[in-house]
Every structure is written in C-alpha cells, then in structure tokens.
Amino acid sequence: MAWHSHAINQSCPGMDVVSRIIEQERPIISMSALPQTSAQTSATTGTASAVTGSFRKTGEPDISESPLHPRRKSRRIMVGPVPVGGGAPISVQSMTNTDTRDTAACVAQIERIARAGAPIVRLTAQGVREAENLRDITERLRADGNTTALVADIHFLPEAAAVAAQYVDKVRINPGNYRLDRGELEALVARCRERGVALRIGVNHGSLSKRIFDEWGDTPEGMVAAAMEFLHVCRREAFDQVVVSMKSSNTRVMVAAYRLLVEAMEREGMTYPIHLGVTEAGNGLEGRIKSAVGIGALLADGIGDTIRVSLTEAPENEIPVARLLADHFRERPGRFEVKHPERYSPTVYRRRSGVQTPVVRDEITPAFRLLESTSQNPTAELRAAILSLDGDEPAAVVRRYDDTDLTTLAVKAAADLGPLFLDGLADGIRILDDRFTEAQLRDVELMILQAARVRFSHTEYIACPSCGRTLYDIEGTLAQIKARTSHLKNLKIGVMGCIVNGPGEMADADYGYVGAAPGRITLYKGRTVVERNIPQEEALDRLIALIRENGDWQEPE
C-alpha cells in the first residue's frame, strides 16, 4: 500500500470511508483510499512493499530477526523451558503479590497466572527467608506438573540472590541496589552458570545508585550507564544468558531509555534480549492504555523479546493485555519511505509543529492535515507520512478499528497511535469505531494523550502493581483514592506499596501515598516526606487535607 495526498471529493471512487470521516475543506492523506500509478506513488514519496516469509537467520545460529518488523536481532536465552529472544515469539509474564513465605498462596497464584497464559512468573525475594522458600514453591509446582518458569526478584541482598539462584530459572537484580566493587555480581554469575540460570539486569528509573544519579541525574542516559556497567561485567565473565530491562512509570523516559540502550549495545556488538514494561501504570483502562503506549512504541520499533504489563490488579489480569500487545505486533508488513528523516529524533523529545497541546476528535480544525492509515502497520506508515510533509502544518492521525470490546480497541489504538505523540510528531487524534459513542472514543483519545505525556486532562495515578513486599491492600486503596480525587485536573498522585521503588518511581508526582510498615502510611508532597508512619485508616483523609493545604483541591462538580 502507499499513502496518497488528495483533496476531499465525495464522488471519488474509494472515498466512501474518508468522506464519512472528514467534513473539512482540507487535503487528507489516506494511505489506501485511492489506487495510484507508480509515478503518482513516487511523487508522494511514500511507498510500501509487503514482506513475507518465515524468520530468516542472520549471522550466528542463535541470532535471528523477523522479516516483519524487522525485529531487533537478539541472542536466544532460555528461562527454564521458555525461549526468550533469537526470533522466539514474544513471551509474556507477570509477578505474584503474595507473601513469598506463604507457599500455598504463591503456588495457587502462580497456577492462576499460568492458566491465564503466562509461561514466566516472578516472585519477590527481598530477604534470605523468602529466597529459601523458593525451593518449597518450586518443588510444589513441579510435583503438580506445573512447568512455569520462575524468576526471583532481588533488590538489596546479594545473599538472597545467591540462595534464589539454586531454585529458580532466572534472577532479576537491580543495579541501583547492587555494588560492583565487591565481586558480588561475579559471584552471582558463577552461581547462575552452575545451573543454567538466566540473569536479568533490571534498571529502574526510580532507584538509580547515588553514584549514577550524581553523574547523570535520573535521566534515560543514567539508566543506560547503569545497565552497561553490569553488561560489561557479564561480557567479561563470558556469561551471555542475560536479559535487560529499563523500566519507568514515565513513558517518555522509558521509551527513550530503551532506544538509547539499544544504540549503546549495538555500538558494542551486544545482542542481549530485552524485557519491556512500564512500571506503576495503575489500573483499569488508564493503566492498560499507559502500558500500551510505552510497550507499543518499542514493539513498533522491533524492540522487545518478553513483556510484562504492570497493573494494580490481580496479576492474572495482566496477561490478556500483554498477550493482546504481543499478538497485535506479530506482523507489521510494509516498508515506508521517509522524505525528511532528519526531522525525527527518537531519543530527544521535541514538537514537530507549533502545536504545543495536541487535540482530540472534536477539537480538530481545518488548519490540520488529516492522515489516515488503513495498512497493517499504522505506526510506521503514519510516522513516514508525517515525516514526508514538506511544511510544519499540524497533523492529526486517524485510524479505524472494528472491535466489539472497548478495552481491546483502546489497547490497539494506544499502541498504534500513542508512539506518534511520544515522539512529538502528531498533533491530533481521531479514533473510529462505529460500535462506540463519540464520548467513549473521546475519553480513549484523551487517555492516550495523557499516557504519552502530551496533555493532562485528569488526575494521573502512578500506582505500583504490588508484590510480596506490599504492606497494604493497594488495589482497594487505589480505588478509594480514585473515588475521592479523580475529578482533580492536572494532578499526579503516587500510590506505592512499599519504599523499595516507591519514592523514586513517583518522583514526579505531586503527592505520594506510600506503605511504610504494616498498617502505616507515609505521605509525600513531591519528593518531601510530610507525614510519616500514620495509621492507614487516617491516611486518605490526611492526603485530602494535604492537597487542600497546598491549594490543589477542587470540589467535585
């Protein structure tokens, strides 16, 4: 297919869809509305050619790429029985939120997650006792015939990592809480090598080490520096069973960090597979859209070998969303020429046009150039179309869907169109699906713009998905906080289960509600602790009072 530029003419053959969409006397670029000759196609500079065939090998036997993205080349590793990278299908995973010392509860939850379709499940092992109990959990699962690959999540204690490596299929460590000057990583690598255990270098935007923070700040570049230090040790130790992640609750930071990481690894010939995820995405439709925008931007680039959609809900609820994203990007045929590639800055955000606040369906004016994609690769196609415009006129992106479920529509649209706003390219959005009302579609559009951090129209909740470290019922608490504060405009509230990543991940929040101890909550204003260890039954009222005191409260209409 090719994208074409033409004026609106309801009598034109093939224009029935476009004429229903646009009622403005402006040119439209519609990617497949009209057939054109090769000369016409060449004149508009946007051509597409279908790409077919199975995975093709490139170089080493365990490195391959898909011809459909093309997917980034990555080395295949094994996480228990699950292949990750090297052309394997994108795997999905989740994390338990049960106490890792409670074998029965963990086993039951892992089995629910596995039944939902996740072949990999992570458990927190914040201490040696939790790490030791991974043996009982593993034995119980295997006795039940469950082959789910298990991952131990380590934050502070190298001793816990060494113990966990005896029982699980992968160990995740956080460079922000690990030191490289004591030989601890080398010792863990040796332990992992003994059993064929994989290692994830899991960088978290909210928990960079003081040394990295002092040099780089809490920036995407700092995240990459932290990861590369650990990858250099793994390479020196000739250990290649490694996965890397660069997570943040800020989608713009997250996407930039992954793209910069890929550039850094490519410069050094590294092909480690990549784990994708947006941390603290929240719950409900907003949480799903936020994850879809961040993960979708990278999958559209061909980056990502395994994914987790983090939701403040039951862990098994994450799997259908992750599976939908993986399936949605399984095939992305087409190559689209770009006339002005120099205008694209994938790792530095800048607005392409003079529009500073992107608009939604009913706000699009005749000044906008409308671009509609009807191909199977809308992100690449629309990006190419925008980058082939000769001027800086505002561009609104249009996409029609045919879904019967609003969540499915929202996830697809967020993954397809959200990246264009993350990159500063698009200025307006219009989603089409005859099964939903204008109000429903407008709400989805606003959520996509907010997830892409280009327009804040309602309260944003930076809420962790919870894990075995969580010190209170975060899912129920988030619902209560939303019920009291969702009417507030342009406000960000962090709702975090514990202090491990909480204060860091919600660093750009206006207010924070963080578990400090069982039954105890600490409240933040920005990065500053305001009230410490207050009873949970008082915490919500005191959060509201704090918002009032700072002049950010508005009464519901």
Side-chain angles (χ1 to χ4, degrees), residues 484-529:
R484 298 277 298 275
T485 63
S486 61
H487 66 285
L488 300 174
K489 305 295 184 183
N490 299 319
L491 206 62
K492 296 189 283 291
I493 299 176
V495 184
M496 313 302 292
C498 72
I499 62 171
V500 172
N501 287 328
E505 287 297 342
M506 66 171 199
D508 63 345
D510 300 295
Y511 299 92
Y513 181 111
V514 180
R520 296 281 168 171
I521 302 298
T522 293
L523 298 181
Y524 287 71
K525 174 68 176 77
R527 300 185 183 212
T528 303
V529 173

Short mmCIF file of all heavy atoms in Angstrom, two decimals, residues 484-529:
data_model
loop_
_atom_site.label_atom_id
_atom_site.label_comp_id
_atom_site.label_asym_id
_atom_site.label_seq_id
_atom_site.Cartn_x
_atom_site.Cartn_y
_atom_site.Cartn_z
N ARG A 484 -12.16 9.56 45.52
CA ARG A 484 -12.14 10.85 46.18
C ARG A 484 -11.42 11.93 45.36
O ARG A 484 -11.65 13.12 45.60
CB ARG A 484 -11.43 10.72 47.54
CG ARG A 484 -12.11 9.78 48.53
CD ARG A 484 -13.25 10.44 49.28
NE ARG A 484 -12.81 11.57 50.10
CZ ARG A 484 -12.33 11.46 51.35
NH1 ARG A 484 -12.18 10.26 51.91
NH2 ARG A 484 -12.02 12.54 52.03
N THR A 485 -10.55 11.53 44.42
CA THR A 485 -9.68 12.53 43.78
C THR A 485 -9.71 12.55 42.25
O THR A 485 -9.05 13.39 41.65
CB THR A 485 -8.21 12.30 44.21
OG1 THR A 485 -7.78 11.01 43.74
CG2 THR A 485 -8.06 12.36 45.72
N SER A 486 -10.46 11.66 41.63
CA SER A 486 -10.37 11.55 40.16
C SER A 486 -10.89 12.78 39.43
O SER A 486 -10.62 12.95 38.24
CB SER A 486 -11.11 10.30 39.68
OG SER A 486 -12.49 10.39 40.02
N HIS A 487 -11.62 13.65 40.12
CA HIS A 487 -12.16 14.85 39.47
C HIS A 487 -11.11 15.95 39.36
O HIS A 487 -11.32 16.94 38.66
CB HIS A 487 -13.35 15.38 40.27
CG HIS A 487 -12.98 15.87 41.63
ND1 HIS A 487 -12.67 15.01 42.67
CD2 HIS A 487 -12.85 17.12 42.14
CE1 HIS A 487 -12.38 15.71 43.75
NE2 HIS A 487 -12.47 17.00 43.46
N LEU A 488 -9.98 15.79 40.04
CA LEU A 488 -8.96 16.84 40.04
C LEU A 488 -8.24 16.89 38.70
O LEU A 488 -7.98 15.85 38.09
CB LEU A 488 -7.97 16.61 41.18
CG LEU A 488 -8.57 16.60 42.59
CD1 LEU A 488 -7.51 16.22 43.62
CD2 LEU A 488 -9.20 17.94 42.92
N LYS A 489 -7.88 18.06 38.25
CA LYS A 489 -7.25 18.23 36.94
C LYS A 489 -5.75 18.44 37.10
O LYS A 489 -5.29 19.09 38.04
CB LYS A 489 -7.85 19.43 36.20
CG LYS A 489 -9.36 19.39 36.05
CD LYS A 489 -9.81 18.24 35.16
CE LYS A 489 -11.32 18.28 34.95
NZ LYS A 489 -11.80 17.13 34.16
N ASN A 490 -5.00 17.90 36.15
CA ASN A 490 -3.55 18.16 36.06
C ASN A 490 -2.81 17.88 37.36
O ASN A 490 -1.94 18.65 37.78
CB ASN A 490 -3.29 19.60 35.62
CG ASN A 490 -3.89 19.89 34.26
OD1 ASN A 490 -3.81 19.07 33.35
ND2 ASN A 490 -4.51 21.05 34.12
N LEU A 491 -3.17 16.77 37.99
CA LEU A 491 -2.53 16.39 39.25
C LEU A 491 -2.05 14.95 39.14
O LEU A 491 -2.72 14.10 38.54
CB LEU A 491 -3.54 16.52 40.39
CG LEU A 491 -2.98 16.77 41.79
CD1 LEU A 491 -2.23 18.11 41.84
CD2 LEU A 491 -4.11 16.77 42.82
N LYS A 492 -0.89 14.68 39.71
CA LYS A 492 -0.33 13.33 39.71
C LYS A 492 -0.20 12.85 41.15
O LYS A 492 0.41 13.53 41.98
CB LYS A 492 1.03 13.29 39.00
CG LYS A 492 0.96 13.64 37.52
CD LYS A 492 2.27 13.39 36.82
CE LYS A 492 3.30 14.48 37.11
NZ LYS A 492 2.93 15.77 36.49
N ILE A 493 -0.78 11.67 41.43
CA ILE A 493 -0.75 11.10 42.77
C ILE A 493 -0.10 9.72 42.70
O ILE A 493 -0.53 8.86 41.94
CB ILE A 493 -2.16 10.99 43.37
CG1 ILE A 493 -2.80 12.38 43.47
CG2 ILE A 493 -2.11 10.31 44.75
CD1 ILE A 493 -4.24 12.37 43.97
N GLY A 494 0.96 9.53 43.49
CA GLY A 494 1.62 8.24 43.55
C GLY A 494 1.01 7.39 44.66
O GLY A 494 0.82 7.87 45.78
N VAL A 495 0.71 6.14 44.34
CA VAL A 495 0.17 5.19 45.32
C VAL A 495 1.08 3.96 45.26
O VAL A 495 1.00 3.16 44.33
CB VAL A 495 -1.29 4.81 45.00
CG1 VAL A 495 -1.86 3.90 46.09
CG2 VAL A 495 -2.15 6.06 44.86
N MET A 496 1.95 3.82 46.24
CA MET A 496 3.01 2.83 46.18
C MET A 496 2.94 1.87 47.36
O MET A 496 2.64 2.27 48.49
CB MET A 496 4.38 3.53 46.16
CG MET A 496 4.48 4.69 45.17
SD MET A 496 4.12 4.22 43.46
CE MET A 496 5.52 3.18 43.12
N GLY A 497 3.27 0.61 47.08
CA GLY A 497 3.13 -0.43 48.09
C GLY A 497 4.19 -0.43 49.16
O GLY A 497 3.95 -0.85 50.29
N CYS A 498 5.40 0.01 48.84
CA CYS A 498 6.49 -0.03 49.80
C CYS A 498 7.54 1.01 49.42
O CYS A 498 7.40 1.72 48.42
CB CYS A 498 7.12 -1.43 49.86
SG CYS A 498 8.09 -1.85 48.40
N ILE A 499 8.61 1.06 50.20
CA ILE A 499 9.63 2.09 49.99
C ILE A 499 10.75 1.64 49.04
O ILE A 499 11.67 2.40 48.78
CB ILE A 499 10.26 2.52 51.33
CG1 ILE A 499 10.96 1.33 52.00
CG2 ILE A 499 9.23 3.15 52.23
CD1 ILE A 499 11.79 1.72 53.20
N VAL A 500 10.69 0.41 48.51
CA VAL A 500 11.79 -0.08 47.67
C VAL A 500 11.95 0.78 46.43
O VAL A 500 13.01 1.34 46.17
CB VAL A 500 11.57 -1.56 47.29
CG1 VAL A 500 12.61 -2.01 46.26
CG2 VAL A 500 11.67 -2.44 48.53
N ASN A 501 10.91 0.88 45.62
CA ASN A 501 10.95 1.74 44.44
C ASN A 501 10.01 2.91 44.55
O ASN A 501 10.06 3.84 43.74
CB ASN A 501 10.58 0.95 43.17
CG ASN A 501 11.68 0.02 42.74
OD1 ASN A 501 12.85 0.29 42.93
ND2 ASN A 501 11.29 -1.10 42.17
N GLY A 502 9.11 2.87 45.55
CA GLY A 502 8.03 3.84 45.63
C GLY A 502 8.44 5.28 45.53
O GLY A 502 8.05 5.99 44.59
N PRO A 503 9.24 5.81 46.46
CA PRO A 503 9.59 7.23 46.41
C PRO A 503 10.29 7.63 45.11
O PRO A 503 10.05 8.72 44.59
CB PRO A 503 10.52 7.39 47.62
CG PRO A 503 10.09 6.31 48.56
CD PRO A 503 9.73 5.15 47.68
N GLY A 504 11.13 6.77 44.57
CA GLY A 504 11.82 7.10 43.32
C GLY A 504 10.91 7.09 42.12
O GLY A 504 10.94 7.99 41.28
N GLU A 505 10.08 6.05 42.01
CA GLU A 505 9.22 5.92 40.83
C GLU A 505 8.13 6.99 40.79
O GLU A 505 7.62 7.31 39.73
CB GLU A 505 8.57 4.52 40.80
CG GLU A 505 9.53 3.42 40.41
CD GLU A 505 10.07 3.58 39.00
OE1 GLU A 505 9.49 4.32 38.21
OE2 GLU A 505 11.10 2.95 38.70
N MET A 506 7.76 7.52 41.94
CA MET A 506 6.73 8.56 41.93
C MET A 506 7.37 9.93 42.09
O MET A 506 6.72 10.89 42.52
CB MET A 506 5.72 8.32 43.05
CG MET A 506 6.30 8.45 44.44
SD MET A 506 5.02 8.40 45.71
CE MET A 506 5.93 9.16 47.07
N ALA A 507 8.65 10.06 41.74
CA ALA A 507 9.39 11.29 41.98
C ALA A 507 8.76 12.50 41.31
O ALA A 507 8.89 13.63 41.81
CB ALA A 507 10.84 11.13 41.52
N ASP A 508 8.07 12.31 40.18
CA ASP A 508 7.47 13.48 39.53
C ASP A 508 6.00 13.64 39.90
O ASP A 508 5.29 14.44 39.30
CB ASP A 508 7.63 13.40 38.01
CG ASP A 508 6.91 12.21 37.39
OD1 ASP A 508 6.54 11.29 38.13
OD2 ASP A 508 6.73 12.21 36.16
N ALA A 509 5.54 12.87 40.91
CA ALA A 509 4.17 13.01 41.38
C ALA A 509 4.04 14.25 42.26
O ALA A 509 4.99 14.67 42.92
CB ALA A 509 3.73 11.77 42.15
N ASP A 510 2.84 14.82 42.28
CA ASP A 510 2.59 15.97 43.14
C ASP A 510 2.41 15.54 44.60
O ASP A 510 2.82 16.24 45.52
CB ASP A 510 1.34 16.71 42.66
CG ASP A 510 1.49 17.21 41.24
OD1 ASP A 510 2.35 18.08 41.00
OD2 ASP A 510 0.77 16.71 40.35
N TYR A 511 1.80 14.36 44.78
CA TYR A 511 1.55 13.82 46.11
C TYR A 511 1.81 12.32 46.10
O TYR A 511 1.64 11.66 45.07
CB TYR A 511 0.11 14.10 46.56
CG TYR A 511 -0.21 15.57 46.64
CD1 TYR A 511 -0.75 16.24 45.55
CD2 TYR A 511 0.07 16.31 47.79
CE1 TYR A 511 -1.02 17.61 45.60
CE2 TYR A 511 -0.18 17.67 47.85
CZ TYR A 511 -0.72 18.31 46.75
OH TYR A 511 -0.96 19.66 46.81
N GLY A 512 2.21 11.80 47.25
CA GLY A 512 2.52 10.38 47.34
C GLY A 512 1.92 9.73 48.57
O GLY A 512 1.87 10.34 49.64
N TYR A 513 1.47 8.48 48.38
CA TYR A 513 0.87 7.66 49.44
C TYR A 513 1.63 6.35 49.41
O TYR A 513 1.48 5.55 48.48
CB TYR A 513 -0.61 7.47 49.11
CG TYR A 513 -1.45 6.68 50.09
CD1 TYR A 513 -2.43 7.32 50.85
CD2 TYR A 513 -1.33 5.31 50.22
CE1 TYR A 513 -3.25 6.61 51.72
CE2 TYR A 513 -2.14 4.59 51.08
CZ TYR A 513 -3.10 5.24 51.83
OH TYR A 513 -3.92 4.54 52.69
N VAL A 514 2.51 6.12 50.40
CA VAL A 514 3.47 5.02 50.34
C VAL A 514 3.39 4.16 51.60
O VAL A 514 3.39 4.69 52.72
CB VAL A 514 4.91 5.55 50.18
CG1 VAL A 514 5.91 4.40 50.11
CG2 VAL A 514 5.02 6.43 48.93
N GLY A 515 3.33 2.84 51.41
CA GLY A 515 3.35 1.93 52.54
C GLY A 515 4.68 2.00 53.26
O GLY A 515 5.74 1.86 52.64
N ALA A 516 4.64 2.24 54.58
CA ALA A 516 5.86 2.37 55.37
C ALA A 516 6.08 1.17 56.28
O ALA A 516 7.22 0.79 56.56
CB ALA A 516 5.81 3.65 56.21
N ALA A 517 5.00 0.58 56.75
CA ALA A 517 5.02 -0.60 57.63
C ALA A 517 3.61 -1.15 57.60
O ALA A 517 2.68 -0.47 57.13
CB ALA A 517 5.45 -0.20 59.05
N PRO A 518 3.41 -2.37 58.06
CA PRO A 518 2.04 -2.90 58.08
C PRO A 518 1.09 -1.96 58.81
O PRO A 518 1.29 -1.60 59.96
CB PRO A 518 2.21 -4.23 58.84
CG PRO A 518 3.61 -4.65 58.53
CD PRO A 518 4.39 -3.37 58.52
N GLY A 519 0.04 -1.51 58.08
CA GLY A 519 -0.93 -0.61 58.67
C GLY A 519 -0.48 0.83 58.78
O GLY A 519 -1.19 1.65 59.38
N ARG A 520 0.66 1.15 58.23
CA ARG A 520 1.21 2.50 58.35
C ARG A 520 1.54 3.08 56.97
O ARG A 520 2.07 2.39 56.10
CB ARG A 520 2.48 2.50 59.21
CG ARG A 520 2.21 2.09 60.64
CD ARG A 520 1.62 3.25 61.41
NE ARG A 520 1.09 2.83 62.71
CZ ARG A 520 0.68 3.67 63.65
NH1 ARG A 520 0.76 4.98 63.44
NH2 ARG A 520 0.20 3.23 64.79
N ILE A 521 1.26 4.38 56.81
CA ILE A 521 1.43 5.06 55.53
C ILE A 521 2.27 6.32 55.73
O ILE A 521 2.12 7.02 56.74
CB ILE A 521 0.06 5.45 54.93
CG1 ILE A 521 -0.82 4.21 54.75
CG2 ILE A 521 0.24 6.20 53.61
CD1 ILE A 521 -0.27 3.18 53.79
N THR A 522 3.13 6.61 54.76
CA THR A 522 3.86 7.87 54.75
C THR A 522 3.37 8.70 53.57
O THR A 522 3.24 8.19 52.45
CB THR A 522 5.38 7.63 54.63
OG1 THR A 522 5.84 7.00 55.84
CG2 THR A 522 6.13 8.91 54.43
N LEU A 523 3.09 9.98 53.83
CA LEU A 523 2.59 10.89 52.79
C LEU A 523 3.70 11.81 52.32
O LEU A 523 4.53 12.27 53.12
CB LEU A 523 1.43 11.73 53.32
CG LEU A 523 0.17 10.98 53.76
CD1 LEU A 523 -0.89 11.96 54.25
CD2 LEU A 523 -0.38 10.12 52.63
N TYR A 524 3.70 12.08 51.02
CA TYR A 524 4.71 12.93 50.40
C TYR A 524 4.04 14.11 49.71
O TYR A 524 2.94 13.98 49.15
CB TYR A 524 5.50 12.16 49.34
CG TYR A 524 6.47 11.14 49.85
CD1 TYR A 524 6.03 9.95 50.42
CD2 TYR A 524 7.85 11.34 49.73
CE1 TYR A 524 6.93 8.99 50.87
CE2 TYR A 524 8.75 10.39 50.17
CZ TYR A 524 8.29 9.22 50.75
OH TYR A 524 9.18 8.27 51.19
N LYS A 525 4.75 15.22 49.70
CA LYS A 525 4.45 16.34 48.78
C LYS A 525 5.65 16.45 47.87
O LYS A 525 6.75 16.83 48.29
CB LYS A 525 4.25 17.65 49.56
CG LYS A 525 4.07 18.87 48.64
CD LYS A 525 2.76 18.79 47.87
CE LYS A 525 2.52 20.03 47.02
NZ LYS A 525 3.33 20.03 45.77
N GLY A 526 5.46 16.07 46.60
CA GLY A 526 6.61 15.95 45.73
C GLY A 526 7.54 14.87 46.27
O GLY A 526 7.12 13.76 46.58
N ARG A 527 8.81 15.20 46.42
CA ARG A 527 9.78 14.23 46.94
C ARG A 527 9.98 14.35 48.45
O ARG A 527 10.81 13.65 49.03
CB ARG A 527 11.13 14.43 46.25
CG ARG A 527 11.08 14.25 44.74
CD ARG A 527 12.46 14.33 44.13
NE ARG A 527 12.40 14.22 42.68
CZ ARG A 527 13.35 13.68 41.94
NH1 ARG A 527 14.43 13.20 42.51
NH2 ARG A 527 13.24 13.63 40.63
N THR A 528 9.22 15.25 49.09
CA THR A 528 9.42 15.53 50.50
C THR A 528 8.42 14.78 51.37
O THR A 528 7.20 14.83 51.11
CB THR A 528 9.29 17.04 50.77
OG1 THR A 528 10.22 17.75 49.94
CG2 THR A 528 9.55 17.37 52.22
N VAL A 529 8.92 14.10 52.39
CA VAL A 529 8.04 13.45 53.35
C VAL A 529 7.34 14.51 54.19
O VAL A 529 7.98 15.40 54.76
CB VAL A 529 8.83 12.50 54.28
CG1 VAL A 529 7.92 11.96 55.38
CG2 VAL A 529 9.43 11.36 53.48
#
